[in-house]
Amino acid sequence: MRQCLIIILILMLGAASAAKITVGPESADYTKIQQAIDNATDGDVIEVHSGTYHENVYVFKPVTLLGIDTGQGMPLVDASGAGSVITLATNGTTVKGFNVTGSGHCGCGNSGILVDSSNNYITGNEIYKNKYGIYVKPGMINNTFLSNDLQENNITVLDNGGNHWDADTSAGNGKSLTLQNAGITALGNHYSDYDELTEGCNDTNNDGFCDLPKKFDGGSGQDNHSSIFAMNH
C-alpha cells in the first residue's frame, strides 16, 4: 500500500511539474523558440504564437511544440538558408501547427523537419521550399506523420521505413480533418508533387486519396493514403 502511495505521489509531482511556456513577438515568456526549449522541462508544452522566427530549432527535450494562430496565421519558422529548420533529437516530441521553410541546400540532410529520434508525432504543418521536406535518419522508427502539407521541396521525403504515414480513411472517426474539397474528410498528408493524374495520383472512387501509394523520393518508405487536396489546418 505504501509503495502504491509513493508511486502515485511521484506521478502527481511529475504532472505538476509540466508547464505551459509561451513564445511570441510580444507578451510572451520568450521571443525565440530555442530559448523556450533550452529552459523547458521534459513534458512541457511550448505554445508559439503567430509571427516569423528566424532560427534553427533544435529539440533535445521531450516537449510539445504547438503553433498557435493568434490572428496572423500559423507561426513561421525560417532557417534563412542554413541547416535544418527543426531538428528532433530526442524521442517523444510533438510538433504541430507550423509553417516550416528555408532550410540549407546541402544534400547531407538539410530539411524542413529533420528526424533524428523515434516515437515522435508531427502533424498539421506546412513544410515548403526546403532541400528535403522531411528527412528521417536511418534507424529512426515509430514516428507518426499526419495532416502535413509538403509543397515545393527539392526532395519531398526521405524515409527508409518503420514509420507511420497512413491516414485513417474511415469517416466519422472523431479525428478527421476537412479537406479543401468540402464534404471530404481525411487525415492524410498532402504532397504537391503527387496530387495530379500526370504525377501518378488517381482518385477513382472520389474519396480524396490517391489510389496508389506515394513512394518517397529517398529511401524505401511510402504513404499509402496521401491526400489529393492541400489541407486546411
Side-chain angles (χ1 to χ4, degrees):
M1 181 66 178
R2 183 178 180 183
Q3 287 180 327
C4 291
L5 290 173
I6 292 173
I7 292 172
I8 292 171
L9 180 60
I10 291 172
L11 291 173
M12 290 176 64
L13 289 173
S17 65
K20 181 179 76 173
I21 301 172
T22 57
V23 179
E26 56 186 19
S27 302
D29 298 319
Y30 299 97
T31 58
K32 294 287 187 181
I33 301 170
Q34 193 62 54
Q35 292 173 336
I37 295 170
D38 293 346
N39 290 282
T41 301
D42 292 1
D44 284 353
V45 176
I46 299 173
E47 294 187 352
V48 182
H49 299 167
S50 299
T52 299
Y53 302 87
H54 292 285
E55 52 183 308
N56 301 95
V57 176
Y58 188 78
V59 186
F60 61 99
K61 299 175 183 178
V63 297
T64 294
L65 289 182
L66 183 61
I68 302 294
D69 183 350
T70 53
Q72 293 80 43
M74 296 193 306
L76 168 65
V77 188
D78 187 342
S80 302
S84 291
V85 187
I86 299 175
T87 299
L88 304 184
T90 193
N91 299 344
T93 62
T94 295
V95 179
K96 179 179 181 181
F98 290 88
N99 287 304
V100 181
T101 193
S103 80
H105 299 286
C106 172
C108 55
N110 286 176
S111 49
I113 298 181
L114 174 62
V115 182
D116 192 14
S117 53
S118 300
N119 301 305
N120 302 298
Y121 189 69
I122 298 95
T123 182
N125 302 289
E126 303 272 356
I127 305 167
Y128 58 94
K129 295 183 179 178
N130 301 285
K131 175 64 177 180
Y132 294 88
I134 296 174
Y135 187 110
V136 184
K137 285 196 171 183
M140 303 300 110
I141 59 172
N142 294 326
N143 295 290
T144 299
F145 304 89
L146 292 173
S147 303
N148 298 293
D149 200 340
L150 291 101
Q151 302 260 3
E152 300 180 60
N153 299 286
N154 290 351
I155 301 172
T156 308
V157 174
L158 188 147
D159 177 30
N160 283 304
N163 296 291
H164 310 293
W165 298 85
D166 296 347
D168 182 352
T169 60
S170 60
N173 61 5
K175 299 180 180 179
S176 298
L177 293 180
T178 301
L179 302 181
Q180 286 186 347
N181 187 355
I184 297 178
T185 57
L187 199 61
N189 300 294
H190 169 256
Y191 309 89
S192 63
D193 61 349
Y194 193 68
D195 58 3
E196 297 180 2
L197 183 59
T198 56
E199 297 166 335
C201 173
N202 193 12
D203 180 21
T204 56
N205 61 354
N206 296 314
D207 66 351
F209 297 95
C210 302
D211 295 339
L212 297 176
K214 158 66 176 174
K215 295 184 178 180
F216 297 141
D217 309 307
S220 58
Q222 64 183 34
D223 187 334
N224 292 316
H225 298 120
S226 62
S227 169
I228 66 173
F229 301 106
M231 304 299 293
N232 286 328
H233 298 305

